[in-house]
Amino acid sequence: MDITTESKLKPTTPIPAQAGIGLRAEHYKEVITTRPNIGWLEVHSENYFGQGGKPLYYLELARQNYPVSLHGVGLSIGSSDPLNKTHLDHLNRLIQRIEPGLVSEHLSWSSIDGKYFNDLLPLPYTEEALKHFSDRVHQVQNILQRQILIENPSSYLSYSHSTIAEWDFMNAIVERTDCGILLDVNNVYVSAINHGFDAHHYLQAIDADAVQEIHLAGFTTDTIEGQDILIDTHNKPISDEVWALYKAAIKRLGALPSLIEWDSDLPPLEFLLEEASRAQTIMDERHALVA
Amino acid sequence: MPSLHELQSAFADALLNPDTTRTLSYVAQDKISRDQRLFIYRNHVFSSLTSALQEAYPTIERLVGEAFFRSAARAYIRQHPSTSGDLEQYGDRFADYLDSLKQVDEHAYLPDVARLEWAYHRVYFAADAPALSTESLAKVDPSQQHRLCFGLHPASQLLQSPYPSLRIWQVNQKAYCGDQTVDLSTGGNYLLVLRPQLDPEIHHINHDEYIFLHALSCDKNIADSHDLATNINPEFDLTSCLQKFISNKTLVTFSLEA
């Protein structure tokens, strides 16, 4: 097996309106040898910022059989620091190499004054932050020469000077930048519980034409000062409440690329595929209803 | 109302320093206090950066134990916050940090074991490279051969230590089940960490080989590199050394010095 032979990349392949799973290192070999029946794969962009070795080797092999979406966690679009050009260069290099169907990032910030926290920190929803975030999405899209999707985050605090609801903030970014939305239904649920808003209202209010991808994941419930707070841990099965919300989202939005996200305490691949097949069934039933 | 930059600076300060006097009065609080809400983020930041260090330095964690490792990681994160959105870059100064700790004086080999782990980590993600073309090399005019310069594989690192750092590393691998004793009096080692294909390998090399490869990696030509190696070992065999490091993919490019 010679890793230096040129890999046979397919040209950019769109992500189908089907269920997909996150590809993680623990499942590389199984996904490549068993070629599970799944519409597409998503990876964290930063895990492939190295210039060679195993991660890219396996991603390129997987890419020969599946459309791939690149999901970023470290671009820190919401930071008031200048955009990190090195990070963008690495992302651009990866995009050229993998030719992903979708590229996404988060409505959040993760660095300031050159220090990184490698976490999705919440933004205040103010006019200043909206202008700043939109300008930066615009810059990123110009540099990458493509549209990106912005994902709604889970959050555990809010700011008393926020003046805009998160769904309106997301819609306004779309209006100003022509970016797309990655609607994380689990994050909608987690934030709705944590901040006391109506998750169904969020789904109704979000710009339906802009949503191009959905994320589904599991959360953990912590108790702090006698109060429950939901934490977006990506280490559990999707909850019944989130499945119900997903059903409502698909009813309104139609079938969309829907990802089962699982990042720690990974279950066997088979379990992820079962979760994906549950999402696929919900989309198929909706389609049957309309047809 | 704080500007976005003021808010982010104060938030960052509160994340890294729990005793900070700056209160984030604009974080909304209800039945859960703002300190508790911030704590969720602080906890997450420290746990993901600690995991990144654990992934890069599993042998150090085994040597010092999880509790000491976690407390060293906490202090390191405060002193050397992450500077990249790519977590795999995090931890490049951990060996120097361990070097600065008085508690590790009795285990003075720890920083060099950490340097070996960081070299392994870097090599794991470094660029691939094809083997050097010996056919093209053979075509170099013999009268010009003294001007040859060689490039090392991008996935290679050279290390030296006054301690048997590789032996310490080896007996602390999960899969290792032989004799655990390490005799520190056996002295130091010169090492080459190399990834010819997908898996990094760690090789013991001789002092003269180390000097030779190190000189080549600093863009010295073959004649000057040869001289430096001969200073260490008058018997240094240039031809067999070149053959060895070309065939194992340490040397992957060549050029003629202008």
Side-chain angles (χ1 to χ4, degrees):
Chain A
M1 173 158 85
D2 187 357
I3 56 167
T4 55
T5 51
E6 207 178 321
S7 56
K8 300 174 203 85
L9 287 182
K10 291 180 193 170
T12 301
T13 314
I15 305 296
Q18 293 170 14
I21 58 168
L23 175 66
R24 300 290 174 262
E26 290 84 339
H27 295 147
Y28 282 156
K29 285 184 183 160
E30 199 180 347
V31 166
I32 284 150
T33 52
T34 66
R35 289 206 202 179
N37 178 23
I38 188 85
W40 56 287
L41 301 170
E42 183 163 281
V43 295
H44 282 169
S45 315
E46 289 79 5
N47 292 350
Y48 300 86
F49 274 11
Q51 297 202 53
K54 262 184 194 168
L56 279 167
Y57 172 76
Y58 284 112
L59 180 58
E60 288 187 331
L61 278 182
R63 177 68 184 86
Q64 291 179 23
N65 298 319
Y66 298 97
V68 166
S69 155
L70 295 179
H71 184 51
V73 293
L75 188 53
S76 194
I77 298 181
S79 170
S80 50
D81 277 357
L83 273 174
N84 185 327
K85 287 281 156 54
T86 309
H87 197 100
L88 275 167
D89 282 351
H90 288 172
L91 179 57
N92 225 342
R93 186 175 67 199
L94 185 63
I95 290 171
Q96 305 306 321
R97 194 156 172 170
I98 298 302
E99 302 187 325
L102 292 170
V103 175
S104 52
E105 253 294 349
H106 294 85
L107 174 61
S108 65
W109 61 284
S110 56
S111 62
I112 190 68
D113 304 326
K115 292 179 191 138
Y116 276 76
F117 300 96
N118 304 88
D119 194 9
L120 305 171
L121 303 172
L123 281 167
Y125 296 140
T126 59
E127 288 297 336
E128 182 205 8
L130 175 59
K131 181 180 183 312
H132 180 70
F133 197 89
S134 302
D135 287 350
R136 305 256 293 191
V137 169
H138 197 68
Q139 283 178 50
V140 170
Q141 293 186 138
N142 274 342
I143 291 168
L144 300 179
Q145 285 293 298
R146 65 182 292 150
Q147 186 191 44
I148 61 169
L149 309 187
I150 295 297
E151 175 182 341
N152 57 300
S154 279
S155 59
Y156 316 116
L157 61 75
S158 60
Y159 301 100
S160 46
H161 60 295
S162 284
T163 53
I164 307 169
E166 187 175 285
W167 49 89
D168 291 331
F169 199 93
M170 294 281 290
N171 291 345
I173 297 164
V174 170
E175 198 177 308
R176 293 179 187 201
T177 68
D178 279 329
C179 72
I181 289 177
L182 194 179
L183 182 66
D184 188 315
V185 174
N186 183 61
N187 290 351
V188 169
Y189 183 74
V190 164
S191 292
I193 298 293
N194 290 347
H195 305 302
F197 62 74
D198 177 1
H200 285 276
H201 177 74
Y202 198 125
L203 294 189
Q204 290 306 316
I206 203 80
D207 180 347
D209 294 335
V211 181
Q212 296 183 33
E213 180 183 343
I214 291 183
H215 272 182
L216 291 163
F219 61 80
T220 304
T221 307
D222 270 9
T223 307
I224 295 175
E225 295 171 354
Q227 296 293 311
D228 281 353
I229 187 155
L230 307 190
I231 311 287
D232 179 36
T233 42
H234 294 186
N235 66 345
K236 281 204 154 49
I238 296 152
S239 73
D240 291 344
E241 296 88 339
V242 172
W243 279 121
L245 209 53
Y246 174 66
K247 227 175 192 169
I250 293 300
K251 190 177 168 200
R252 171 159 189 253
L253 305 168
L256 282 167
S258 301
L259 183 85
I260 309 299
E261 252 193 325
W262 205 308
D263 293 319
S264 52
D265 309 327
L266 273 193
L269 179 63
E270 204 184 316
F271 189 82
L272 290 184
L273 295 170
E274 279 167 24
E275 294 269 272
S277 122
R278 193 168 165 184
Q280 189 62 52
T281 305
I282 290 171
M283 287 190 276
D284 293 346
E285 282 171 2
R286 194 270 186 188
H287 188 252
L289 211 67
V290 176
Chain B
M1 187 173 100
S3 71
L4 186 60
H5 184 263
E6 284 164 354
L7 182 152
Q8 291 177 336
S9 280
F11 199 109
D13 193 35
L15 283 180
L16 287 176
N17 312 302
D19 322 319
T20 185
T21 49
R22 290 163 87 171
T23 25
L24 295 171
S25 56
Y26 36 85
V27 170
Q29 58 181 349
D30 44 25
K31 288 170 185 160
I32 300 176
S33 66
R34 58 174 69 97
D35 283 351
Q36 287 293 338
R37 290 183 180 277
L38 268 171
F39 176 79
I40 298 170
Y41 286 99
R42 185 183 300 131
N43 195 29
H44 192 256
V45 166
F46 276 86
S47 88
S48 53
L49 291 170
T50 301
S51 301
L53 293 173
Q54 285 172 312
E55 272 175 41
Y57 298 101
T59 312
I60 295 295
E61 183 172 13
R62 223 176 142 95
L63 284 164
V64 301
E66 193 188 338
F68 183 87
F69 189 91
R70 283 184 172 278
S71 93
R74 255 192 119 65
Y76 177 78
I77 293 164
R78 291 222 169 84
Q79 271 187 37
H80 304 286
S82 168
T83 54
S84 166
D86 171 10
L87 264 181
E88 272 140 18
Q89 302 290 323
Y90 190 60
D92 58 335
R93 298 164 78 178
F94 195 55
D96 293 340
Y97 171 75
L98 290 175
D99 224 348
S100 74
L101 291 184
K102 284 209 175 82
Q103 296 102 302
V104 303
D105 276 356
E106 288 166 46
H107 309 283
Y109 52 82
L110 282 175
D112 279 354
V113 177
R115 285 182 189 104
L116 173 55
E117 292 206 285
W118 189 250
Y120 190 98
H121 180 79
R122 285 183 61 190
V123 159
Y124 185 87
F125 297 102
D128 307 322
L132 185 144
S133 158
T134 43
E135 272 178 38
S136 330
L137 183 61
K139 287 182 193 148
V140 173
D141 184 340
S143 70
Q144 298 302 313
Q145 281 176 357
H146 63 284
R147 289 171 50 216
L148 274 169
C149 292
F150 285 90
L152 273 67
H153 196 300
S156 71
Q157 296 274 316
L158 293 164
L159 294 159
Q160 59 170 325
S161 170
Y163 305 101
S165 52
L166 178 53
R167 168 83 185 152
I168 299 169
W169 184 88
Q170 279 166 338
V171 305
N172 284 289
Q173 295 308 295
K174 264 192 199 145
Y176 181 83
C177 48
D179 179 11
Q180 288 272 346
T181 53
V182 177
D183 180 2
L184 289 179
S185 71
T186 56
N189 53 203
Y190 295 92
L191 303 174
L192 166 68
V193 185
L194 177 69
R195 205 197 74 229
Q197 300 290 338
L198 290 176
D199 292 303
E201 300 166 356
I202 311 175
H203 299 279
H204 269 126
I205 53 175
N206 295 325
H207 188 188
D208 52 1
E209 293 173 322
Y210 174 87
I211 294 293
F212 179 68
L213 291 175
H214 187 261
L216 290 176
S217 76
C218 298
D219 299 330
K220 291 202 188 311
N221 68 30
I222 194 170
D224 292 345
S225 304
H226 183 201
D227 286 348
L228 288 166
T230 312
N231 288 344
I232 300 295
N233 173 17
E235 310 283 296
F236 178 75
D237 183 346
L238 178 63
T239 312
S240 70
C241 185
L242 273 179
Q243 272 168 357
K244 172 179 170 182
F245 291 112
I246 289 172
S247 70
N248 79 1
K249 282 185 80 175
T250 306
L251 302 177
V252 290
T253 58
F254 72 88
S255 58
L256 284 179
E257 195 179 51

